[in-house]
Amino acid sequence: MMPSKKANEVGLDHLGAMRALLRIVELGSFSAAARELKVATSTIARKISALEDMLGVSLLHRSTHHVALTEAGNLYHARAVSMIADLDDTLRVVAELDSAPSGPLKLTAPVAFGRRYLAPLVAPFLERYPGVQLDLRLTDNHNDMVMGGFDLDIHEGENYLDNLIVQPISRNDSILCAAPAYFARRGRPQAPADLAQHNCLRYLHPEGDPRWHLTDGATVQSVLPSGNLQSDHSELLLEATRAGLGIAEFEIWLIRDLLVSGELEVALPGYRLENALTGRQIYMAYLPNRRFSTKVRVLREFMAERLKGIGELPDRELVPSPAERA
């Protein structure tokens, strides 16, 4: 079958049609994609129709309020995502040769981690690299790096490392802790079994294990904590813990300064928590096609230098025991 005139036309702008399709799928409509690309909706529609004519298949199911990929569309879309990512990375690498890092740079991280540690680093980074336009997205829901267009992902745990290059930043230690006022009122647990006599504040996650798994390096003891507060928000639980309500599990990066100041104290100093959800490391992760990007490299180096060891229990001299404080 000979290609139509429209197909010949799209052959001159196959790349533009491919990019348009990706935006339609991500944004959910022709009109939203047209607004982002700053063209008329009819222009977007003509590109997709011409692309479908050239391929001889329908790529999208269309309705008044919804678009969805056909079987052929799913196959084309998967290949197009990879191709566009590779092309954009090639263009970036070439443009960055022999020049200072510049252009858009998209980073994602968990909300609490981003507020506590990344927010103070934004201004120093951009002062050092003024040509970069940083886009920092904080979310506790893992982002698809390809679909989201992310250059770098800072996250905890080993759950999302497939097909990514990873660079460990720090161990990700977790402990149980409480305020000194709570210990003064209720006493200190001496072993994991003693937690049954304490008010335990629980963090909830749909993929998390409700039990606390405590290890002394040789054995693991599991307990099901119970108390009068549970939440899916770690910072809310932290405020309740600081107020003396009970014992809670936290990663070191979230409470490091509070341990140093003595506002919080470790509940079972001889134990660490094993948490499959948060894992044993904090990582920076990036796609293989970003490995030669100058701006990604300088961001990785900048973050690695300033965040090194941030998830590890501070040295003993920084966190004196209650007896030493007295």
Side-chain angles (χ1 to χ4, degrees), residues 246-294:
I247 296 175
E249 171 192 4
F250 294 109
E251 292 134 286
I252 292 297
W253 61 260
L254 185 59
I255 59 169
R256 187 181 179 91
D257 55 338
L258 301 176
L259 292 173
V260 172
S261 70
E263 189 172 342
L264 291 179
E265 296 176 357
V266 181
L268 291 165
Y271 291 85
R272 298 289 180 271
L273 283 106
E274 294 189 345
N275 189 324
L277 187 65
T278 57
R280 298 181 177 181
Q281 296 278 343
I282 300 172
Y283 294 97
M284 290 185 291
Y286 54 99
L287 294 164
N289 61 15
R290 300 292 198 274
R291 75 172 73 218
F292 300 117
S293 169
T294 301

Side-chain angles (χ1 to χ4, degrees), residues 5-174:
K5 181 175 183 293
K6 187 180 291 187
N8 286 327
E9 291 172 353
V10 81
L12 300 175
D13 190 24
H14 197 153
L15 181 60
M18 186 181 293
R19 289 187 185 278
L21 180 72
L22 298 190
R23 303 314 299 150
I24 291 167
V25 172
E26 182 166 347
L27 299 174
S29 72
F30 280 71
S31 57
R35 283 193 298 272
E36 182 177 285
L37 296 172
K38 297 181 173 57
V39 298
T41 302
S42 58
T43 300
I44 293 285
R46 283 196 299 271
K47 284 180 179 289
I48 300 304
S49 293
L51 179 58
E52 291 175 324
D53 282 355
M54 184 190 74
L55 297 172
V57 295
S58 295
L59 299 175
L60 294 170
H61 295 297
R62 301 162 172 82
S63 67
T64 305
H65 303 292
H66 181 68
V67 295
L69 288 166
T70 63
E71 181 180 357
N74 272 305
L75 177 61
Y76 182 90
H77 179 266
R79 300 292 183 90
V81 167
S82 178
M83 290 174 60
I84 291 295
D86 286 341
L87 174 61
D88 287 347
D89 190 62
T90 299
L91 296 175
R92 279 192 296 268
V93 169
V94 172
E96 289 171 2
L97 288 175
D98 299 323
S99 64
S102 63
L105 186 55
K106 199 169 182 180
L107 168 66
T108 183
V111 176
F113 188 92
R115 283 202 295 254
R116 189 165 292 249
Y117 292 108
L118 300 188
L121 298 180
V122 168
F125 178 78
L126 293 178
E127 286 171 1
R128 178 177 294 189
Y129 303 107
V132 170
Q133 292 92 49
L134 187 63
D135 183 348
L136 176 54
R137 305 294 179 95
L138 302 182
T139 177
D140 291 328
N141 297 316
H142 181 67
N143 279 301
D144 185 306
M145 294 193 67
V146 174
M147 290 297 295
F150 290 100
D151 297 291
L152 193 67
D153 177 7
I154 296 179
H155 70 268
E156 312 159 278
E158 293 73 37
N159 298 323
Y160 310 111
L161 304 184
D162 291 347
N163 304 316
L164 298 175
I165 298 175
V166 297
Q167 176 180 338
I169 301 174
S170 167
R171 287 200 324 266
N172 194 30
D173 296 340
S174 293

